Amino acid sequence: MSHAQPRPVRAPIGTQLTCKNWLIEAAYRMIQNNLDPAVAENPDALVVYGGIGKAARNWDCFEQILESLKNLNEDETLLIQSGKPVGVFPSHVDAPRVLLANSNLVPAWANWEHFNELDRKGLMMYGQMTAGSWIYIGSQGIVQGTYETFAEAGRQHFGGDMVGRWVLTAGLGGMGGAQPLAATFAGACSLTVECQQSRIDFRLKTRYVDEQARDLDDALARIAKYTAEKKAVSIALLGNAAEVLPELVARVKAGSAIKPDLVTDQTSAHDLINGYLPVGWTVEQWKAAAGDASRHADLKAAAARGCAVHVQAMLDFQAMGIPTVDYGNNIRQVAFDQGVKNAFDFPGFVPAYVRPQFCEGRGPFRWVALSGDPEDIYKTDAKIKELFPHHAGVHRWLDMARERIAFQGLPARICWLGLGERHKAGLAFNEMVRTGELKAPIVIGRDHLDSGSVSSPNRETESMKDGSDAVSDWPLLNAMLNTAGGATWVSLHHGGGVGMGYSQHSGVVIVCDGTEAADKRLARVLWNDPGTGVMRHADAGYEIAQQTAQERGLKLPMLGR
Amino acid sequence: MSHAQPRPVRAPIGTQLTCKNWLIEAAYRMIQNNLDPAVAENPDALVVYGGIGKAARNWDCFEQILESLKNLNEDETLLIQSGKPVGVFPSHVDAPRVLLANSNLVPAWANWEHFNELDRKGLMMYGQMTAGSWIYIGSQGIVQGTYETFAEAGRQHFGGDMVGRWVLTAGLGGMGGAQPLAATFAGACSLTVECQQSRIDFRLKTRYVDEQARDLDDALARIAKYTAEKKAVSIALLGNAAEVLPELVARVKAGSAIKPDLVTDQTSAHDLINGYLPVGWTVEQWKAAAGDASRHADLKAAAARGCAVHVQAMLDFQAMGIPTVDYGNNIRQVAFDQGVKNAFDFPGFVPAYVRPQFCEGRGPFRWVALSGDPEDIYKTDAKIKELFPHHAGVHRWLDMARERIAFQGLPARICWLGLGERHKAGLAFNEMVRTGELKAPIVIGRDHLDSGSVSSPNRETESMKDGSDAVSDWPLLNAMLNTAGGATWVSLHHGGGVGMGYSQHSGVVIVCDGTEAADKRLARVLWNDPGTGVMRHADAGYEIAQQTAQERGLKLPMLGR
Ligand SMILES: NC(=O)c1ccc[n+]([C@@H]2O[C@H](COP(=O)([O-])OP(=O)(O)OC[C@H]3O[C@@H](n4cnc5c(N)ncnc54)[C@H](O)[C@@H]3O)[C@@H](O)[C@H]2O)c1
Ligand SMILES: NC(=O)c1ccc[n+]([C@@H]2O[C@H](COP(=O)([O-])OP(=O)(O)OC[C@H]3O[C@@H](n4cnc5c(N)ncnc54)[C@H](O)[C@@H]3O)[C@@H](O)[C@H]2O)c1
């Protein structure tokens, strides 16, 4: 269907405009940045990340999006329907320049089968979260999200300080590999059990993990040493989590003083064929069985038995008073189905650690330097520290990120800020653009792992206090409000993260072009967007959110009625 | 949960403002108008129409909505989540004053069971279409929608003229009762078969049907006479459609010259317990069986057999070259399940008659006089005629409506206008408000039975040319674009018309307050809103839409690529 051919794409940098103003230019650069070979997983297929999360429906659509943006007037709005530019309509300068809707299906048809059929016909595209909404910036987000989770655990359980503490977990895969670095960032030691040497090697090479222990005794000795020295060192251990964790439980029960301060897991227990090594199996046996459909039933059963043992050990740790959480890999459900009836005694990571932050409108805020110059980001890093001098966690993150995280594509930064903080940052950046302190405008956006713009009952809105997990009025209100406020582009997606049928969510991006008009828009949008998160959680009955609303002066008409 | 008590509600009229400007006042009056006892079906329960379609979640929420509107500033936006006022946020004067999201659920939970559970907990409300979006105006819309359907049939099959033609149909219930009057409006005679005398009596009394025939011979004699005289007279016949239609087929086959020009049906075949009288049963037997659960299986089977015979007769008419359509009552599916394998040979009314209009952005446009003075509506009627001197159908409708349709609540008018027409009407009304020709501002809105703002694969988007029936990116883009354009309020709903899981749709309302700012907003919103309908149909491959887009100068980047 598409006549245009794949080609290497890179966002233009510098101060020369291709489009009619910086707001439009920002969209023009950011869609290209999403497809930069240094950013995208499979740029030829327009795939940015997350399975088949794409930035445009096909190459014809991609080229026409660029063309439409080049021609777009400052009072027009371009509509994108699942990655295809379908219309250009009159609006006004304070309205968004682009509005996007990706992968949305009427509920009774909202499943992968129907989606795939439409996708094959060229009528649809999977937008994931930041892929189809043109604000993906590489893997910085994974480290940072995990860091925030650990940092919040530190705040909740250890008076805000993880120093001298240690995290016990497993899995050094695509996402799980961020755990040791994130723990280090949070000030903690960590022990990560991983059954494949190749995965450990990769993480050692990229400095995501510091050291590998020879065996469990060696690992515990290192942990004891580093925690005593208050050094945040990460240790990998080759082994099967379903063997190592029960052994650790047994040692603690037998009197060992070396016990973890936080327990979690990121093996791929959600996929019992390819994701979880059964107890007593070698990795080679596992891979062979995974590659042979006739052995899948056996493999699944064996992996599930392993998960049950693994979860039992996690429950044992919890029973000792050690904070324990599921990291979104479904391992509790597997164990529950195996007969571990109290598997859900420990919570998921969102209700446990992320929700309290959502209640304050906090979540993965991010920004990108359109100049292409890393110095611009370093200056904004400094500005954030200056604006929030008491935010120790943020300071620590910014320092670590600068040192250990490589930029991919346009220089960018992620940092969790909440209601009352984001618009301050936005206004400060806009001022820096205005005065010329920064070389070019800054683009501000956020993930859809967010407080007010996501309904995802298996993740972001799992176990809401009032049972409103599946109510999706909230992301729709968020998208309309951000449109009303004058964001630069706004998107509404379905199925991100958890797949077709299971989520609805909205994205927002706004540009600091240094103008006074942008000041007004930034003040509104970066207040309103996290504000809807506080509102949604206050409405669900969370006290932190109700307090935040009151303290910050959010207008919630029914609060307290 | 709610402490406020039900009370009779009526919209204020006249020129005295309760709110801070007319845009906010319009919302304030329209939500109250929706609950006027002359408008709403069950105002005490806040139910406006369409089963449990409500205007506010409960009485506390209703009172707080009024309160919030009274206090709302001209640069603020009120958010309504399923009938509850949840937040007030800064926006700007060209942004909507109210944004609403009603009954939306994440797809995997989008069913009546889950909705009812949330509804019982006080967390949800069913918004239907214009109930929860505060622009319902009574039953004028039903007559008009049916009229447009018949008029379009006239255009397609009879050179634009139904005079001397006759429509054969059945059912004089809540919706079906509009058929004879609508046929009259379209210039045609009609014969409507109805099995309950009480229903015929009610329609005779309210002048929705003109005469009742004694028997089939009498009915056909009257039809022959009136069609020859070119008089548009409607005739009711007491009987069972599954008996009368086959008898008519037999007569035509035997040489009778009196055969219908259009065949359809509005018995409630979608509900085989309460909606369709089986052949050979009396109405009393039917009602008794419907009231006795133990007899439901028998009743259903008998009703289904009747539907099969009924559809077979409709197919026979079609085979004679007579245009035949299903009017959204699912009778084809029932017959198909009974073994009538070609039941779907005749189309639904949307693909057959409404879609060509959707392709031009046409649909039930409506407006309301906030003054409360019917004269204001009569003046707008005249203005429409003046603006569109060649729109014979519109002129006929306006004359008939003025004569035969009683206002309910605030005086209002419905009339189908399309892309390029609506903004002209809006600007003309705004001018009339500005000059004082009208006593107070006019509110403009539309139904969600609409071209660009609905995804409803069993109705509005049934059998789309490209198979994109279930793609719901379109209504979401429509809502965001109307928000960007500066509509006065915008809503996003789920489940209207066809129930939970089966539709997503968006509403829009915009106020003519006589200002120049309103001119700009009206020019945008009333161009863009029908424009998204033309866009959606052009994208699906409809030539009329592609032509309309070209003629009207709509910017569709991928058209022709
Ligand atoms: N909900 C969220 O937001 C979220 C965030 C991060 C991760 N997750 C989940 O975490 C899991 C991990 O994600 P990933 O991308 O890193 O997956 P991955 O498949 O790339 O990595 C899993 C790792 O676990 C190892 N492993 C498997 N079985 C083991 C065992 N018995 N003992 C020790 N190691 C074992 C594997 O060798 C592999 O390296 C997934 O289930 C993912 O869905 C969810
Ligand atoms: N898709 C749409 O937009 C749309 C629009 C209008 C109507 N409809 C459908 O049309 C149908 C009618 O709606 P309604 O509100 O008028 O329903 P209703 O139940 O109020 O009326 C149905 C009428 O049909 C009569 N009837 C039943 N069986 C009969 C038979 N065998 N012969 C003759 N008369 C018979 C009943 O006595 C009753 O008066 C419904 O299925 C409705 O969903 C759909």
Side-chain angles (χ1 to χ4, degrees):
Chain A
M1 279 193 88
S2 186
H3 302 304
Q5 294 304 311
R7 61 177 177 86
V9 172
R10 254 177 212 94
I13 57 173
T15 57
Q16 182 87 39
L17 286 181
T18 306
C19 302
K20 293 183 186 169
N21 70 24
W22 271 110
L23 306 188
I24 308 167
E25 181 79 14
Y28 180 79
R29 294 191 184 188
M30 289 304 292
I31 183 179
Q32 296 185 81
N33 191 55
N34 261 17
L35 293 170
D36 187 313
V39 176
E41 278 178 16
N42 183 358
D44 279 0
L46 298 155
V47 167
V48 182
Y49 80 103
I52 52 167
K54 289 166 73 174
R57 200 183 298 176
N58 57 40
W59 281 93
D60 277 350
C61 289
F62 171 74
E63 301 292 0
Q64 185 55 50
I65 289 170
L66 296 189
E67 207 49 36
S68 294
L69 288 170
K70 278 191 216 164
N71 294 322
L72 199 73
N73 291 315
E74 60 164 22
D75 60 354
E76 288 181 328
T77 295
L78 170 65
L79 302 189
I80 305 287
Q81 182 260 321
S82 285
K84 177 178 181 178
V86 289
V88 173
F89 288 90
S91 56
H92 56 84
V93 294
D94 278 316
R97 297 283 67 84
V98 188
L99 294 168
L100 311 95
N102 288 317
S103 334
N104 296 284
L105 289 167
V106 176
W109 289 264
N111 53 59
W112 281 112
E113 292 66 40
H114 195 71
F115 171 84
N116 289 334
E117 194 186 317
L118 292 167
D119 193 14
R120 273 193 303 274
K121 282 188 189 163
L123 295 171
M124 269 260 155
M125 174 191 93
Y126 184 52
Q128 254 293 6
M129 297 183 146
T130 52
S133 55
W134 309 345
I135 185 77
Y136 183 70
I137 57 165
S139 57
Q140 185 173 160
I142 298 169
V143 180
Q144 211 265 341
T146 313
Y147 161 69
E148 284 293 337
T149 305
F150 292 160
E152 175 66 20
R155 281 190 288 274
Q156 283 188 29
H157 309 300
F158 313 111
D161 195 355
M162 290 285 276
V163 174
R165 308 280 173 177
W166 67 285
V167 178
L168 172 64
T169 186
L172 288 173
M175 317 266 274
Q179 295 179 103
L181 184 56
T184 300
F185 282 16
C189 287
S190 60
L191 175 58
T192 309
V193 185
E194 164 60 57
C195 64
Q196 298 190 63
Q197 185 59 45
S198 62
R199 294 294 175 103
I200 296 177
D201 291 340
F202 180 71
R203 294 304 175 181
L204 282 167
K205 199 181 91 194
T206 53
R207 297 174 55 221
Y208 268 56
V209 73
D210 296 315
E211 305 179 355
Q212 177 170 6
R214 282 183 309 279
D215 53 33
L216 185 56
D217 290 328
D218 178 37
L220 292 177
R222 293 181 196 229
I223 287 286
K225 173 170 178 289
Y226 294 129
T227 52
E229 294 172 3
K230 300 194 182 303
K231 282 192 188 153
V233 180
S234 56
I235 319 259
L237 174 66
L238 185 67
N240 190 321
E243 296 173 321
V244 175
L245 267 77
E247 168 65 20
L248 264 168
V249 168
R251 291 187 185 202
V252 174
K253 283 190 176 161
S256 163
I258 312 174
K259 54 182 184 175
D261 297 290
L262 179 67
V263 178
T264 189
D265 174 54
Q266 283 197 41
T267 58
S268 275
H270 75 275
D271 177 351
L272 295 176
I273 303 294
N274 305 295
Y276 197 90
L277 174 69
V279 174
W281 291 41
T282 66
V283 171
E284 292 63 38
Q285 291 171 320
W286 172 33
K287 300 277 159 177
D292 175 357
S294 75
R295 299 183 51 201
H296 282 182
D298 283 354
L299 170 55
K300 261 178 145 164
R305 282 193 301 274
C307 289
V309 172
H310 187 160
V311 166
Q312 187 53 58
M314 293 174 80
L315 287 164
D316 292 342
F317 280 124
Q318 193 194 26
M320 297 172 192
I322 299 168
T324 303
V325 291
D326 170 306
Y327 215 116
N329 66 351
N330 214 31
I331 197 165
R332 290 173 300 174
Q333 186 68 50
V334 177
F336 179 85
D337 294 343
Q338 287 290 308
V340 183
K341 287 304 165 212
N342 61 335
F344 283 90
D345 276 5
F346 60 87
F349 75 110
V350 171
Y353 298 128
V354 179
R355 188 151 304 144
Q357 306 217 37
F358 280 172
C359 287
E360 300 183 51
R362 299 187 82 224
F365 185 68
R366 59 180 62 175
W367 61 95
V368 181
L370 291 179
S371 64
D373 189 338
E375 281 305 320
D376 275 2
I377 290 298
Y378 300 145
K379 285 180 187 159
T380 57
D381 285 349
K383 178 60 73 178
I384 293 287
K385 289 188 183 177
E386 181 194 320
L387 285 174
F388 309 109
H390 306 300
H391 245 322
V394 166
H395 286 233
R396 175 190 285 275
W397 160 254
L398 291 172
D399 291 340
M400 301 272 202
R402 174 163 182 170
E403 192 192 329
R404 301 276 292 257
I405 307 248
F407 291 133
Q408 298 171 259
L410 292 175
R413 183 65 73 224
I414 284 190
C415 161
W416 284 36
L417 294 176
L419 177 66
E421 296 167 345
R422 292 190 188 189
H423 72 282
K424 280 192 194 140
L427 289 169
F429 295 171
N430 201 43
E431 179 67 21
M432 293 165 83
V433 174
R434 181 161 39 234
T435 60
E437 193 179 341
L438 300 179
K439 296 200 185 65
I442 293 284
V443 167
I444 294 179
R446 57 158 171 74
D447 199 356
H448 302 205
L449 171 92
D450 180 62
S451 145
S453 62
V454 188
S455 290
S456 185
N458 286 345
R459 233 166 76 172
E460 283 82 353
T461 54
E462 174 186 335
S463 310
M464 291 293 290
K465 200 168 175 178
D466 61 348
S468 62
D469 309 19
V471 176
S472 61
D473 293 331
W474 304 103
L476 302 179
L477 288 173
N478 173 273
M480 289 193 284
L481 183 64
N482 283 333
T483 303
T488 314
W489 61 97
V490 179
S491 52
L492 267 168
H493 290 208
H494 161 239
V498 283
M500 288 295 137
Y502 291 91
S503 61
Q504 280 175 274
H505 40 101
S506 163
V508 63
V509 178
I510 184 163
V511 176
C512 307
D513 64 0
T515 62
E516 278 174 29
D519 278 340
K520 289 191 192 144
R521 292 191 289 258
L522 288 159
R524 287 192 297 257
V525 171
L526 296 181
W527 167 265
N528 290 350
D529 181 53
T532 65
V534 176
M535 167 180 79
R536 193 255 181 279
H537 287 85
D539 192 74
Y542 290 92
E543 277 169 33
I544 305 177
Q546 294 173 348
Q547 259 170 34
T548 304
Q550 228 140 24
E551 283 167 22
R552 302 276 183 187
L554 207 58
K555 292 192 188 178
L556 308 184
M558 298 291 289
L559 190 62
R561 272 161 212 276
Chain B
M1 280 193 89
S2 186
H3 302 302
Q5 294 304 310
R7 61 176 176 87
V9 172
R10 255 177 212 93
I13 58 173
T15 55
Q16 183 85 38
L17 286 180
T18 306
C19 301
K20 293 182 185 168
N21 70 23
W22 271 110
L23 306 188
I24 307 167
E25 181 79 15
Y28 181 78
R29 294 191 183 187
M30 290 303 294
I31 182 178
Q32 296 186 78
N33 191 55
N34 261 17
L35 293 169
D36 187 315
V39 176
E41 278 178 17
N42 183 358
D44 279 1
L46 298 156
V47 167
V48 182
Y49 80 103
I52 52 166
K54 290 166 71 173
R57 199 183 299 175
N58 57 39
W59 281 93
D60 277 350
C61 289
F62 171 74
E63 301 293 359
Q64 186 55 50
I65 289 170
L66 297 189
E67 208 48 38
S68 293
L69 288 171
K70 278 190 218 166
N71 295 323
L72 200 73
N73 291 315
E74 61 164 22
D75 60 355
E76 288 182 327
T77 295
L78 170 65
L79 302 189
I80 305 287
Q81 183 259 323
S82 285
K84 177 177 182 179
V86 289
V88 172
F89 288 89
S91 56
H92 56 84
V93 294
D94 279 315
R97 297 284 67 85
V98 189
L99 294 168
L100 311 95
N102 287 317
S103 333
N104 297 284
L105 290 168
V106 176
W109 290 263
N111 54 59
W112 280 112
E113 292 65 40
H114 195 70
F115 171 84
N116 289 335
E117 194 186 317
L118 292 167
D119 193 14
R120 274 193 302 275
K121 281 189 190 163
L123 295 171
M124 268 259 155
M125 174 192 93
Y126 185 51
Q128 254 292 7
M129 296 184 148
T130 52
S133 55
W134 310 345
I135 186 78
Y136 183 69
I137 57 164
S139 57
Q140 184 173 161
I142 298 169
V143 180
Q144 211 266 340
T146 313
Y147 162 70
E148 284 292 337
T149 304
F150 291 160
E152 175 66 20
R155 281 190 288 274
Q156 283 188 28
H157 308 301
F158 313 112
D161 196 354
M162 290 285 276
V163 174
R165 306 280 172 178
W166 67 285
V167 178
L168 172 64
T169 185
L172 288 173
M175 316 267 275
Q179 296 179 102
L181 184 56
T184 300
F185 281 16
C189 287
S190 61
L191 175 58
T192 309
V193 185
E194 164 59 56
C195 63
Q196 297 191 62
Q197 185 59 44
S198 61
R199 295 293 175 102
I200 296 178
D201 291 340
F202 179 69
R203 293 304 176 180
L204 283 168
K205 200 181 89 191
T206 52
R207 296 173 56 219
Y208 268 55
V209 74
D210 296 315
E211 305 178 354
Q212 177 170 7
R214 281 184 309 278
D215 54 31
L216 185 56
D217 290 328
D218 180 38
L220 293 177
R222 293 181 196 229
I223 288 286
K225 174 170 176 289
Y226 294 129
T227 52
E229 294 172 4
K230 300 194 182 303
K231 281 190 188 153
V233 179
S234 56
I235 320 259
L237 174 66
L238 185 66
N240 189 322
E243 295 173 321
V244 175
L245 267 77
E247 167 65 18
L248 265 170
V249 168
R251 290 188 185 202
V252 174
K253 283 191 177 159
S256 163
I258 312 173
K259 53 182 185 176
D261 297 291
L262 180 67
V263 178
T264 189
D265 174 54
Q266 283 197 40
T267 57
S268 274
H270 74 274
D271 177 351
L272 295 176
I273 304 295
N274 304 296
Y276 197 89
L277 174 69
V279 175
W281 292 39
T282 65
V283 171
E284 292 64 38
Q285 290 172 320
W286 172 32
K287 300 276 158 177
D292 175 357
S294 74
R295 300 182 52 201
H296 282 182
D298 283 354
L299 171 54
K300 261 177 144 164
R305 282 194 301 274
C307 289
V309 173
H310 188 160
V311 166
Q312 187 53 58
M314 293 175 80
L315 288 164
D316 291 342
F317 279 125
Q318 193 194 26
M320 296 171 192
I322 299 169
T324 302
V325 290
D326 171 306
Y327 215 116
N329 66 351
N330 214 31
I331 197 166
R332 290 173 300 175
Q333 186 67 49
V334 177
F336 180 84
D337 293 342
Q338 287 290 307
V340 183
K341 287 303 164 210
N342 61 336
F344 282 89
D345 276 5
F346 59 87
F349 76 110
V350 171
Y353 299 129
V354 179
R355 187 150 306 143
Q357 306 218 38
F358 280 173
C359 287
E360 299 184 52
R362 299 186 81 224
F365 185 68
R366 58 180 62 176
W367 61 96
V368 181
L370 290 180
S371 64
D373 189 338
E375 281 305 319
D376 275 2
I377 290 298
Y378 299 145
K379 285 180 187 159
T380 57
D381 284 350
K383 179 59 75 179
I384 293 288
K385 288 188 184 177
E386 180 194 321
L387 286 174
F388 308 109
H390 306 300
H391 245 322
V394 166
H395 285 234
R396 175 192 286 276
W397 159 254
L398 291 173
D399 290 340
M400 301 272 203
R402 175 161 182 172
E403 192 192 328
R404 301 276 294 259
I405 307 249
F407 291 135
Q408 299 171 257
L410 292 174
R413 184 63 73 224
I414 284 191
C415 161
W416 283 36
L417 294 177
L419 177 67
E421 297 167 344
R422 293 190 187 189
H423 72 283
K424 279 190 196 143
L427 289 170
F429 295 170
N430 201 41
E431 179 67 21
M432 293 166 83
V433 175
R434 181 160 39 233
T435 61
E437 193 179 342
L438 300 179
K439 296 199 185 66
I442 294 285
V443 167
I444 295 178
R446 59 158 170 74
D447 199 356
H448 301 204
L449 170 92
D450 180 62
S451 145
S453 62
V454 188
S455 290
S456 185
N458 286 343
R459 234 167 74 172
E460 283 82 354
T461 53
E462 174 187 335
S463 309
M464 291 293 290
K465 200 168 177 178
D466 61 348
S468 62
D469 309 19
V471 177
S472 61
D473 293 331
W474 304 102
L476 302 179
L477 287 174
N478 174 274
M480 289 193 284
L481 183 63
N482 283 333
T483 302
T488 315
W489 60 97
V490 178
S491 52
L492 266 169
H493 290 209
H494 161 239
V498 283
M500 288 295 136
Y502 291 92
S503 61
Q504 281 175 275
H505 39 101
S506 163
V508 63
V509 178
I510 184 162
V511 176
C512 307
D513 64 1
T515 61
E516 278 174 27
D519 278 341
K520 289 190 192 145
R521 292 191 289 258
L522 287 159
R524 289 192 295 257
V525 171
L526 296 180
W527 166 266
N528 290 351
D529 181 53
T532 64
V534 175
M535 166 180 80
R536 193 254 181 281
H537 288 84
D539 191 74
Y542 290 92
E543 277 170 32
I544 306 178
Q546 294 173 349
Q547 258 170 34
T548 303
Q550 228 140 23
E551 282 166 21
R552 302 276 183 185
L554 207 59
K555 293 192 187 177
L556 307 184
M558 298 291 288
L559 190 62
R561 274 161 212 277

